[in-house]
Structure formats: C-alpha cells, structure tokens
Amino acid sequence: MQHRIVVLGAGYTGAVAAGRLAKRLRREDAAITLVNAEPDFVERVRMHQVAVGQDLRHRSLDEMFAGTGVVLRLARVTGVDVDRRTVAVTGVNGPAESGELEYDTLVYALGSSWNHQDVPGTVEHAHEISGRPGALRLRERLARLDAGQPVVVVGGGLTGLEAATEIAEARPDLDVALTARGGLGDWLSPKGRRHLRKVFAALGVTAHENVDVTAVGADHVTTADGTTVPAAVTVWTTGFAVHPIARATSLDVTGTGQIVVDGTMRSVSHPDVYAIGDAALVAGPGGKPLRMSCASGTPTAWQAADAIAARLTGGKLPNAPLRYFNQCISLGRREGLIQYVTADDRAVRAALTGRLAAGYKEVVCKAAAWGVANPTLGLPTRRRPVARRTPEPAPATGTPA
C-alpha cells in the first residue's frame, strides 16, 4: 500500500516540498497529492510588479509537475482533522470535486495573507498585494487614477518599500507617499539607509516616519496624532497573517496561529504533520523565529521533504542550518538594495546598491521560481524505497528545536 502524502498549498514552499518528495521517494511506495486553489504558480515576491501593470510569465502547475508523479488537486482547503488524518476540500470547478482526502503524512504549506490588524476602515478601503487577486485589484485601481492623485503605502518593511518605489517609478505622475512606524529603513546599515533615501528622493516618494496609521478612509488615512494624510489609494503592507485553518485544529499553534515545529519541521504535537514557510514557527539562529519570507520558507521546504523521506526510508535526518545571508529589496526596475546580514538577520555594514543590486534581486527572483520546478537544484535524483510506514511516537511538546 502506498504511503499517502498530501501537501496543502503550491506556493514557493508547498511546490518545492512536493517536487522534492517526488524525487526522493519511489512512485510505487508513495502517492503525493498537491492541493492548490489556482492552476498556476504565483510568484508572490513580484506582486508589486503585477500591481503596476507588468505581466509575469505564465507558470502552469500541471506543466511544472508533469512526469513527476505528483497529482495536482485544484481545490480550496476548508478544514483539517489531524486526529482523523483527513483534509476537507471544495473543488474550484464545482461540487463534484469536493470531499475529503486521507493522508498518512501531511505537509501544511497554506502560507499567509495580508494582516489588516483590525485597523478601522482597512478592509473596506485599503488594497493589499499579498497575492495575485489583491495585486490585480490594485492594478485596476491605479490605472484609473488621474495625474497628481495621492497614493499612500502603509508599512515601512520590505513589501512597503518595494511597493512604494515600484508605483512611483511606473507612475511618476502620481503623488506617492509611505508611512513607517519607525525611521525609514531603520533596520538597515548606514549605507543602506543612505541609498534608500536617495532613491526615495529621486522618485519623489514622501516618507512619513515614526507614524502609526490608526484608520483608513475612502480618500485618506488618519494617524495616531490625528493628522489626516490624503490618499486616493491606500496600499496596506504592515505584515502577514497566517491562514486560520491550523488554529481550528488540535495542533499545537502559537497565538498568531503558526504551527509549532521541531528542527525537521514536524509538528511537536502531531508527528504525521509537517508545517513549512509562513505557516510554521521555525527557530533560527539563537532560537530567534524566522520571519515570514521566501528566504525563510524555501529552506524549510527542503528540510521537511528531506526529513519525511529520511523517516520513511530509514535514511539520515537532515541537519542543515536555517540562517540568513542578505535582504534583497527591489526599488523599481532600475534600482535595488542588497543588505547583507548576520545569520539571525541583523544588518552588517556591507550593502550592494544601484543597478547591480537590481540585477542581483532579479536573479534571486528567477532562481526562486526555477527552484520550484527543479526542487533538487539539478542534482541527480535518488529515489529510495519506503522502509517504514507506521508513524513514530509523538515527540515531546515544547519549544522548537
């Protein structure tokens, strides 16, 4: 009987994990099902480009997984029962494709969406670019704006910086501003901060620093001190919120809904469940949680897939370090900033700037997409037979390893 592996979500992490498992396990021993609500792979790190009208390369999941043995199920996940080991799905093409999927091993990679933080007016009036539907809605709205109208990007993190500069470069006729709770790029090195301010000045982006937006209206945002900032369009980029399904299960989750995992990405409460990417609370260097990002997610997918394959085949468990090397920020199509960091994501003095940095970021984006279709990074395929099909005892609960 085949070992049933179900992977939920075909973003960067889920797609990489499914493909890597297919190249680690023999098809006669393992049945791998990848569940996703969309038929295409979405390059989430490029949604700010989609928002300003740029068209991305079409990447069909059917084509990407052709010949791998991975079965693609186009459906929305509506529930997970980790005690019965079932996943409830609703088919995107009609009720005939709805039902339950049984699993022996579950890889939870449903990821995250925008975090509106319950700020009044945000849901009603703000736009988000955490996924393709939101980016396309913003694209349509921006296209209708007349010259001189104000656009406010709320959030001074990586997504906010990329969105503000991309919009300002693509639409120099608009009045683009960004609000940040702290100083502009205050986590960057001095060189990085100088370059960021230089690019903002060149593009005409106004930075409202040390500002907390407390409400969003149809044509403005309001800050904590009562100041009103005009905004024909508000783009909300203040972080991400994980998919809510895990919180409704008996899995051990954090207060934000992330699944608590050990060093192999296995749930500390349910050993047949693995969580990767934004869905998981993963400890990095010094026990510091990894931030939600593609840079964090892809290594967790490698770790989980290799751990699952090792446990099923009796191989050696992976012990690759999860660490950071740099933060890659696009500042429009012609400018960029590569901030080098310590293993635990703190900025060091070194930074790459300008066109070279923009090219570097483009290579990173293309490499990430290529890695989805080539999960073993071009290395030889080594499929091993499943040696053990019974679940191991649940590990002791506690903090992530």
Side-chain angles (χ1 to χ4, degrees):
M1 182 177 178
Q2 289 177 304
H3 187 93
R4 299 163 300 180
I5 302 174
V6 175
V7 182
L8 305 182
Y12 288 100
T13 58
V16 165
R20 198 172 180 95
L21 283 165
K23 293 190 177 185
R24 292 284 187 267
L25 302 170
R26 298 196 312 182
R27 295 184 190 179
E28 57 266 38
D29 291 336
I32 304 170
T33 302
L34 177 61
V35 183
N36 200 58
E38 296 188 57
D40 307 322
F41 170 69
V42 177
E43 291 186 81
R44 191 178 187 186
V45 297
R46 292 187 185 272
M47 289 302 99
H48 53 285
Q49 295 177 237
V50 173
V52 298
Q54 297 171 33
D55 293 320
L56 304 183
R57 176 183 172 185
H58 174 75
R59 299 179 185 274
S60 165
L61 291 172
D62 268 333
E63 294 176 5
M64 292 172 68
F65 286 98
T68 65
V70 174
V71 175
L72 179 63
R73 180 75 175 264
L74 291 180
R76 292 183 178 85
V77 179
T78 56
V80 175
D81 190 327
V82 294
D83 300 310
R84 293 177 52 238
R85 296 184 184 177
T86 59
V87 177
V89 299
T90 299
V92 297
N93 296 319
E97 298 180 9
S98 303
E100 281 191 342
L101 299 174
E102 297 180 339
Y103 66 83
D104 298 305
T105 296
L106 179 70
V107 181
Y108 188 103
L110 290 180
S112 62
S113 59
W114 72 309
N115 187 355
H116 52 74
Q117 300 178 338
D118 294 324
V119 173
T122 304
V123 174
E124 296 84 356
H125 303 298
H127 289 264
E128 51 88 14
I129 54 173
S130 63
R132 182 161 55 188
L136 290 174
R137 284 191 293 270
L138 176 58
R139 176 179 186 160
E140 181 181 343
R141 182 69 185 95
L142 289 173
R144 298 199 306 266
L145 290 183
D146 295 327
Q149 289 191 277
V151 175
V152 174
V153 178
V154 180
L158 302 185
T159 305
L161 298 180
E162 293 192 327
T165 52
E166 198 75 49
I167 294 170
E169 181 185 85
R171 290 291 306 273
D173 59 320
L174 298 177
D175 182 10
V176 180
L178 176 141
T179 69
R181 285 182 173 174
L184 182 64
D186 57 4
W187 74 93
L188 298 169
S189 66
K191 180 180 179 180
R193 291 195 298 272
R194 287 194 301 270
H195 186 70
L196 181 60
R197 291 186 181 278
K198 175 184 175 181
V199 173
F200 265 48
L203 293 174
V205 179
T206 301
H208 299 283
E209 302 178 71
N210 303 303
V211 167
D212 191 10
V213 172
T214 56
V216 179
D219 59 0
H220 68 278
V221 300
T222 304
T223 65
D225 63 2
T227 301
T228 296
V229 181
V233 172
T234 299
V235 186
W236 195 265
T237 66
T238 62
F240 302 101
V242 298
H243 199 288
I245 284 181
R247 194 194 296 268
T249 70
S250 57
L251 288 164
D252 188 354
V253 300
T254 67
T256 59
Q258 287 180 297
I259 299 171
V260 183
V261 297
D262 65 14
T264 64
M265 305 304 112
R266 185 169 65 169
S267 162
V268 298
S269 62
H270 292 73
D272 47 13
V273 177
Y274 290 73
I276 55 180
D278 292 354
L281 176 67
V282 181
K288 181 180 178 181
L290 299 182
R291 58 182 164 86
M292 294 183 183
S293 66
C294 181
S296 305
T298 300
T300 67
W302 297 337
Q303 193 90 324
D306 290 353
I308 292 168
R311 287 189 169 109
L312 289 176
T313 63
K316 183 179 179 181
L317 285 173
N319 189 29
L322 298 173
R323 57 153 299 161
Y324 294 101
F325 297 94
N326 53 43
Q327 295 178 4
C328 301
I329 312 170
S330 64
L331 302 173
R333 297 298 87 206
R334 297 183 292 274
E335 281 282 358
L337 171 59
I338 309 301
Q339 176 62 65
Y340 297 102
V341 298
T342 59
D344 63 350
D345 211 26
R346 291 175 291 114
V348 298
R349 292 181 61 186
L352 183 66
T353 61
R355 287 184 178 271
L356 187 58
Y360 186 114
K361 173 66 187 292
E362 181 65 18
V363 169
V364 168
C365 291
K366 289 181 177 179
W370 182 87
V372 172
N374 300 272
T376 57
L377 306 182
L379 298 176
T381 297
R382 294 184 179 181
R383 292 191 176 96
R384 298 178 181 272
V386 170
R388 180 171 56 245
R389 301 183 186 181
T390 56
E392 297 181 1
T397 58
T399 56

